[in-house]
Amino acid sequence: MSTDPATPRTGGAQGYLRIATEEAFATPDLFDAWARTMERSDVDPGFAGLAGFYTTSQAERPRTIKRRLLDLGEERIADMDAAGIDRALLLLTAPGVQWLDPAEGVALAASTNDQLADACRRHPDRFSGLAAVAPQDPAAAAEELRRGVTQLGLHGGVINGHTQGRYLSDQEFWPIFEAAEDLDVPIYIHPTGLPRTMLQPFQEAGLDGAIYGFGVDTGLHLLRIITAGVFDRFPRLRIVVGHAGEALPFWLFRLDHMHAATVRAERYESMKPTQRTISEYMRENVYITTSGMAWEPAIRFCQQVLGADRVMYAMDYPYEYEVSEVRTHDDLDIDAETKRMLFQTNAERVFGLNATAQV
Ligand code: 1DF
Ligand code: MN
């Protein structure tokens, strides 16, 4: 480890622990399932563009990322030490099990969660995790979320974006929200490759991935959940999104204005009145992380418009592994208590990292 005084250290001497909340992992079984999916004649182009790339590419960056995704032990912890990360909240990487047939997806979600829980048991002071689910079988997904939380000690669920082109705004998926609300755990909605119907104008310009397409699709996903009335039906449900709220905080004024106008215009069967405004749901049911968005103006803007109690630090390892980005967060011109909320206490509260015993 570097002895450079600017290198962040673990242990909390700076007045807070650093909890990173969108840290990705994968298992060999998952890469095998992706490789088999790639051989299908009807393979989805968005799946191929993302999972296919990381499964097969021999370029240096994807190979390094793949090696790091598969490590739930020494290399990851050494990388956390070198960047001053005390705890990683681990999420099965996109697109997870969501392109598999329902039975295979359900089984792989369960075995993946078992492996994640094992890693958390081996390193209880460094790792926590969220349960992966297979929304293509909503009832089984709700059940796996329940098992992950109550039996494996996981702290919520992760859903890697749309499921074969279908969004969680569709009522068929609401058993998952019902379970999350009942268990009092959040659901992290993480980006994935774009659906087939959206992909082409992004992909032809190289803009479908983390550079932009991920944010467009995940912001759309959360908006659809809000305008479909999910939070009226499940008022205690908590949703987390990364990447500084997938740009929605910047849009709030216009979203509120045009949402009200569109509802009043009775223009869409699918856009019925909601009990609250979009910005109210964003401030009451939604939490965001700073994954991939280590940029002071964006972070402070989000704290200002959503509240400092809703913004949490994330690194996005291994897709993003830059010690300088940790320092950017350390050096934010915000008071000590707000910084502690950003790095530590919001994540502890939202994910129940203190309350739920590590088993
Ligand atoms: C990428 C970026 C891939 C992120 C990810 O999961 C991901 C990428 C497959 O750059 O290909 O989580 N990210 O969150 O920025
Ligand atoms: Mn990510």
Side-chain angles (χ1 to χ4, degrees), residues 22 24 190-191 243 291 316 319:
E22 187 195 302
H190 184 280
H243 316 103
S291 49
D316 212 351
Y319 298 101

Side-chain angles (χ1 to χ4, degrees), residues 234-301:
F234 305 106
R236 292 181 298 107
L237 176 65
R238 291 173 284 153
I239 299 286
V240 184
V241 295
H243 316 103
E246 309 292 8
L248 293 185
F250 193 80
W251 277 81
L252 286 181
F253 177 86
R254 186 163 172 78
L255 287 170
D256 280 348
H257 184 82
M258 294 311 302
H259 183 230
T262 309
V263 167
R264 261 201 325 277
E266 300 181 5
R267 184 167 170 184
Y268 298 96
E269 184 60 30
S270 57
M271 187 170 274
K272 290 286 193 306
T274 52
Q275 290 173 14
R276 294 166 195 237
T277 64
I278 290 174
S279 59
E280 285 171 336
Y281 297 112
M282 289 292 292
R283 290 191 198 101
E284 287 165 32
N285 297 94
V286 175
Y287 297 83
I288 72 168
T289 78
T290 65
S291 49
M293 198 58 98
W295 190 33
E296 174 145 4
I299 296 168
R300 295 189 63 184
F301 177 79

Side-chain angles (χ1 to χ4, degrees), residues 18 28 82 95 108 123 129 131 154 163 191 199 238 249 258 262 281 286 306 309 311 328 330 335 339 353-354 357 359:
R18 296 188 195 85
L108 195 55
H123 304 282
L154 301 173
T163 299
L199 183 64
R238 291 173 284 153
M258 294 311 302
T262 309
Y281 297 112
V286 175
L306 296 184
D309 57 336
V311 183
T328 296
D330 276 336
D335 64 68
K339 206 171 289 180
L353 298 181
N354 292 332
V359 292

Side-chain angles (χ1 to χ4, degrees), residues 67-342:
R67 189 189 71 240
R68 287 173 168 166
L69 283 170
L70 289 168
D71 186 294
L72 283 172
E74 277 172 30
E75 181 178 0
R76 185 178 293 260
I77 288 174
D79 286 347
M80 289 166 64
D81 288 342
I85 304 302
D86 293 279
R87 178 177 295 280
L89 183 71
L90 299 170
L91 288 64
L92 186 66
T93 200
V97 302
Q98 290 171 232
W99 278 104
L100 307 179
D101 291 336
E104 189 186 5
V106 168
L108 195 55
S111 67
T112 304
N113 292 333
D114 289 341
Q115 292 177 56
L116 172 59
D118 280 344
C120 295
R121 266 189 292 267
R122 281 195 300 276
H123 304 282
D125 52 336
R126 306 307 296 276
F127 296 158
S128 303
L130 299 182
V133 298
Q136 54 273 48
D137 184 337
E143 213 32 61
E144 181 60 17
L145 178 64
R146 187 173 298 280
R147 187 186 76 96
V149 171
T150 62
Q151 294 181 34
L152 301 179
L154 301 173
H155 295 269
V158 54
I159 295 183
N160 282 298
H162 66 89
T163 299
Q164 302 178 25
R166 289 171 299 147
Y167 294 88
L168 298 167
S169 45
D170 291 0
Q171 294 203 17
E172 62 175 307
F173 296 116
W174 292 13
I176 304 169
F177 291 145
E178 187 177 359
E181 188 184 55
D182 185 47
L183 292 161
D184 194 24
V185 295
I187 301 285
Y188 202 123
I189 300 181
H190 184 280
T192 193
L194 299 184
R196 189 188 287 269
T197 46
M198 198 170 155
L199 183 64
Q200 201 244 338
F202 288 85
Q203 194 175 47
E204 70 183 15
L207 293 170
D208 53 307
I211 184 173
Y212 189 63
F214 279 11
V216 173
D217 187 47
T218 312
L220 170 71
H221 199 158
L222 178 54
L223 263 187
R224 287 181 59 127
I225 287 169
I226 292 172
T227 59
V230 166
F231 295 119
D232 291 342
R233 173 68 183 76
F234 305 106
R236 292 181 298 107
L237 176 65
R238 291 173 284 153
I239 299 286
V240 184
V241 295
H243 316 103
E246 309 292 8
L248 293 185
F250 193 80
W251 277 81
L252 286 181
F253 177 86
R254 186 163 172 78
L255 287 170
D256 280 348
H257 184 82
M258 294 311 302
H259 183 230
T262 309
V263 167
R264 261 201 325 277
E266 300 181 5
R267 184 167 170 184
Y268 298 96
E269 184 60 30
S270 57
M271 187 170 274
K272 290 286 193 306
T274 52
Q275 290 173 14
R276 294 166 195 237
T277 64
I278 290 174
S279 59
E280 285 171 336
Y281 297 112
M282 289 292 292
R283 290 191 198 101
E284 287 165 32
N285 297 94
V286 175
Y287 297 83
I288 72 168
T289 78
T290 65
S291 49
M293 198 58 98
W295 190 33
E296 174 145 4
I299 296 168
R300 295 189 63 184
F301 177 79
C302 288
Q303 290 175 325
Q304 184 189 342
V305 300
L306 296 184
D309 57 336
R310 314 195 83 79
V311 183
M312 299 180 279
Y313 169 70
M315 174 179 278
D316 212 351
Y317 181 92
Y319 298 101
E320 199 86 19
Y321 180 50
E322 303 284 345
V323 175
S324 66
E325 296 186 355
V326 181
R327 252 186 253 118
T328 296
H329 288 78
D330 276 336
D331 293 346
L332 286 172
D333 186 17
I334 55 179
D335 64 68
E337 180 53 28
T338 304
K339 206 171 289 180
R340 204 167 109 86
M341 291 164 76
L342 173 72

Side-chain angles (χ1 to χ4, degrees), residues 34-96:
W34 287 355
R36 284 195 305 277
T37 304
M38 283 301 291
E39 286 162 12
R40 293 172 67 142
S41 58
D42 59 347
V43 64
D44 175 81
F47 172 88
L50 181 65
F53 176 69
Y54 284 107
T55 302
T56 60
S57 173
Q58 293 303 309
E60 197 271 334
R61 176 177 156 87
R63 284 181 50 190
T64 300
I65 287 174
K66 183 174 177 182
R67 189 189 71 240
R68 287 173 168 166
L69 283 170
L70 289 168
D71 186 294
L72 283 172
E74 277 172 30
E75 181 178 0
R76 185 178 293 260
I77 288 174
D79 286 347
M80 289 166 64
D81 288 342
I85 304 302
D86 293 279
R87 178 177 295 280
L89 183 71
L90 299 170
L91 288 64
L92 186 66
T93 200

